[in-house]
Amino acid sequence: MEEREISQAVIRRLPRYYRYLGELLEHDVERISSNDLSKRMKVTASQIRQDLNNFGGFGQQGYGYNVKYLYTEIGKILGLDVKHNIIIIGAGNLGQALANYEAFESRGFLLKGIFDVNPKLTGISVRGIPIRTMEDLVDFLKVNEIEIGVLTIPKEYAVEVAGLLTANGVKAIWNFAHIDLNLPPNIVVENVHLSESLMRLSYNITRCNAEQKNEK
Ligand code: NAI
């Protein structure tokens, strides 16, 4: 497929297409029209056509989309056709919850190690993976090709730890700490803030309540 620049807005929508197409595949659906996909996903059919046109002729007039093909191609665009080795730094509530989530593995994200400063946690296993002390981190990074570091530590330490990871070959940070990391441009950072999602929910509840009040 031809390589072309795809906007971040489209990239943000791709995982959702990927999920829906995966569900269709599980139900042995071979093809789907943009109208049917639109009804399921509650996105306009024209948005779907526009988004998917970015990747060339996936759809055919009168046929719709070949689900398997589209699923595979979107997977490739998202880099899900290759394995990504990850480690988690901070084995507290969130770190352990993420480590326990098996579904990441099926998407190609392989958890190779968990690290924490708390000596009481050293040696405890999460899904068979032992929590290691931070003192072992640099040596571990020398012998394991780790692409992604997950930061689930207090924000006070996040910048320093992100620096240590990237200085030792880690290329991307999945950052849960509530702080901007300001890393070099060749390092990919994805910040995750559940509270922002909750604030959007709060906004929508407030708006919905106001509309209902006005209708009365
Ligand atoms: P927690 O206190 O249960 O776990 C934090 C762990 O990090 C502890 O085990 C601690 O020993 C370890 N730690 C502290 N400093 C460290 C360092 N320098 N190197 C390695 N390990 C270190 O906290 P929890 O609830 O798991 O939250 C972790 C972080 O994630 C916090 O910064 C919290 O604010 C953030 N958070 C972010 C969310 C988001 O949506 N972005 C949601 C929930 C938590």
Side-chain angles (χ1 to χ4, degrees):
M1 195 180 43
E2 192 191 330
E3 285 277 324
R4 51 196 270 199
E5 191 73 29
I6 298 159
S7 81
Q8 284 297 317
V10 177
I11 304 285
R12 271 196 296 278
R13 289 194 286 271
L14 286 186
R16 192 152 174 260
Y17 288 118
Y18 189 76
R19 183 160 54 81
Y20 271 82
L21 291 163
E23 282 168 16
L24 290 172
L25 270 185
E26 276 168 21
H27 291 94
D28 300 319
V29 177
E30 280 177 23
R31 63 184 193 178
I32 189 158
S33 68
S34 45
N35 283 335
D36 285 346
L37 196 55
S38 148
K39 276 182 213 137
R40 279 171 186 266
M41 292 186 62
K42 298 194 172 63
V43 178
T44 64
S46 80
Q47 169 93 79
I48 290 175
R49 281 193 292 269
Q50 246 179 47
D51 281 352
L52 300 183
N53 274 348
N54 278 287
F55 315 114
F58 288 158
Q60 273 174 38
Q61 199 76 37
Y63 175 88
Y65 295 103
N66 179 310
V67 175
K68 177 91 193 283
Y69 179 70
L70 192 52
Y71 178 80
T72 310
E73 291 302 313
I74 291 180
K76 281 189 208 162
I77 292 160
L78 291 172
L80 302 177
D81 56 331
V82 288
K83 304 277 181 230
H84 303 278
N85 289 342
I86 71 175
I87 53 170
I88 293 175
I89 312 290
N93 293 309
L94 185 56
Q96 291 204 28
L98 292 174
N100 269 312
Y101 189 54
E102 281 177 39
F104 291 140
E105 231 89 32
S106 62
R107 293 270 186 261
F109 298 96
L110 310 180
L111 180 59
K112 296 291 181 183
I114 311 170
F115 293 83
D116 200 289
V117 278
N118 183 350
K120 287 191 187 138
L121 294 174
T122 307
I124 293 175
S125 284
V126 184
R127 268 201 310 123
I129 300 165
I131 299 171
R132 294 179 161 87
T133 151
M134 285 298 278
E135 279 142 33
D136 293 346
L137 179 64
V138 172
D139 284 343
F140 183 90
L141 291 174
K142 278 183 193 146
V143 291
N144 292 278
E145 271 193 31
I146 302 300
E147 196 178 17
I148 304 172
V150 183
L151 287 189
T152 48
I153 54 177
K155 65 176 178 185
E156 292 77 10
Y157 309 105
V159 171
E160 186 193 335
V161 172
L164 184 64
L165 290 172
T166 54
N168 287 282
V170 172
K171 299 186 190 89
I173 304 286
W174 199 24
N175 176 36
F176 286 82
H178 298 293
I179 192 163
D180 294 331
L181 297 173
N182 294 324
L183 289 162
N186 62 325
I187 303 297
V188 180
V189 179
E190 178 69 26
N191 297 303
V192 183
H193 297 306
L194 297 179
S195 48
E196 289 178 9
S197 171
L198 207 49
M199 283 180 221
R200 283 193 291 277
L201 182 70
S202 161
Y203 168 79
N204 286 321
I205 295 171
T206 313
R207 207 180 52 171
C208 197
N209 287 346
E211 275 169 17
Q212 280 170 4
K213 219 170 167 184
N214 288 341
E215 278 164 15
K216 278 182 191 162

